[in-house]
Amino acid sequence: MKNKLEAIRKQQGLRQEELAAALAVSRQTISSLENGRYNPSLILAMKIARFFGLTVEEIFIYEEEEE
Amino acid sequence: MKRFLWAITALAGVIAVLTGFYVLTGESLKMLSGLCIGAGSAAVGLGLGGLIRTFLISASEDEEILRAKEIEMKDERNTRIREKAGYMTARIMNYALLAFVLILGFIGADKVILLSACALIVLEAVLVIVFSNYYAKKM
């Protein structure tokens, strides 16, 4: 699943460490999310969306072919 | 307070070690003596380690480290990594156990050992069924 997390984070002027601390996850998790290596749980996706004041769909892009 | 507790632990360890060496000396008390020395040594190590740590790391730093450790432990990616690693390990161990039973059979091992190894395979299968049912109801 693709996402715009890195762009949104940079737009907000946040470092990976700061975002990780705000979401109570490790910095590696943020890095893996941004690289698309790891897909978040629904709870974490909601947390991220809520943190940036956006919807999940505005951050994460689901494509049918992925399945 | 923490420093005091670590010091008490180390002191209790020293007392246990000395008791093991000099008080419990009889032949009949050999096992108890060994237990005292072992547990005492562990307590001394733990106590001294903790005591040194309190001198090296301040309380606020300690809290920060603990919070970071808690985040690392509860982190969902780390949890998923642990689950996947556990699953793969279990799968590999399953094949290893099957190979082990076959080898035992080929070398003509004692029936008790062979049956014990077989029992482990059966136990694994039973646990898979039990946990599958448990999680099927829970999820």
Side-chain angles (χ1 to χ4, degrees):
Chain A
M1 190 159 58
K2 287 175 188 167
N3 67 72
K4 299 175 194 163
L5 188 59
E6 189 175 2
I8 295 165
R9 176 180 61 77
K10 283 181 177 169
Q11 205 175 28
Q12 302 271 333
L14 285 168
R15 287 187 293 123
Q16 283 187 342
E17 289 88 346
E18 290 167 334
L19 181 59
L23 299 168
V25 295
S26 67
R27 193 198 58 75
Q28 288 91 337
T29 297
I30 300 296
S31 171
S32 293
L33 283 171
E34 288 183 356
N35 291 328
R37 282 199 307 266
Y38 174 68
N39 289 328
S41 68
L42 191 55
I43 293 169
L44 183 56
M46 296 292 281
K47 268 188 182 179
I48 294 168
R50 216 169 262 183
F51 178 78
F52 288 116
L54 299 166
T55 62
V56 173
E57 289 86 350
E58 283 174 304
I59 303 171
F60 297 97
I61 306 136
Y62 172 68
E63 284 161 359
E64 292 284 337
E65 301 89 69
E66 285 172 27
E67 290 298 306
Chain B
M1 188 62 194
K2 258 187 179 177
R3 228 170 253 180
F4 177 72
L5 284 174
W6 287 126
I8 290 287
T9 307
L11 189 68
V14 170
I15 292 168
V17 170
L18 291 176
T19 308
F21 271 121
Y22 300 109
V23 180
L24 307 168
T25 49
E27 191 62 33
S28 58
L29 297 168
K30 211 173 175 182
M31 207 175 124
L32 196 63
S33 161
L35 194 70
C36 272
I37 294 166
S41 305
V44 169
L46 198 72
L48 286 180
L51 203 59
I52 291 165
R53 192 184 145 86
T54 60
F55 283 107
L56 294 177
I57 300 167
S58 69
S60 61
E61 274 178 328
D62 207 21
E63 259 176 44
E64 223 167 85
I65 292 167
L66 279 177
R67 202 167 46 240
K69 268 190 185 171
E70 201 186 331
I71 286 174
E72 284 285 326
M73 271 303 291
K74 287 183 181 170
D75 181 67
E76 68 166 50
R77 181 173 155 271
N78 286 344
T79 308
R80 229 180 265 184
I81 289 169
R82 274 198 302 273
E83 283 171 359
K84 278 201 169 189
Y87 171 72
M88 284 309 291
T89 307
R91 276 188 72 172
I92 292 165
M93 284 309 291
N94 188 21
Y95 288 117
L97 199 57
L98 286 169
F100 181 61
V101 170
L102 282 175
I103 291 165
L104 283 179
F106 283 130
I107 62 170
D110 193 59
K111 269 183 190 163
V112 178
I113 297 167
L114 195 61
L115 285 174
S116 303
C118 286
L120 286 177
I121 294 172
V122 174
L123 177 69
E124 193 185 24
V126 170
L127 287 176
V128 167
I129 293 165
V130 168
F131 283 118
S132 296
N133 281 334
Y134 173 73
Y135 287 115
K137 279 176 194 158
K138 212 180 168 194
M139 289 169 137

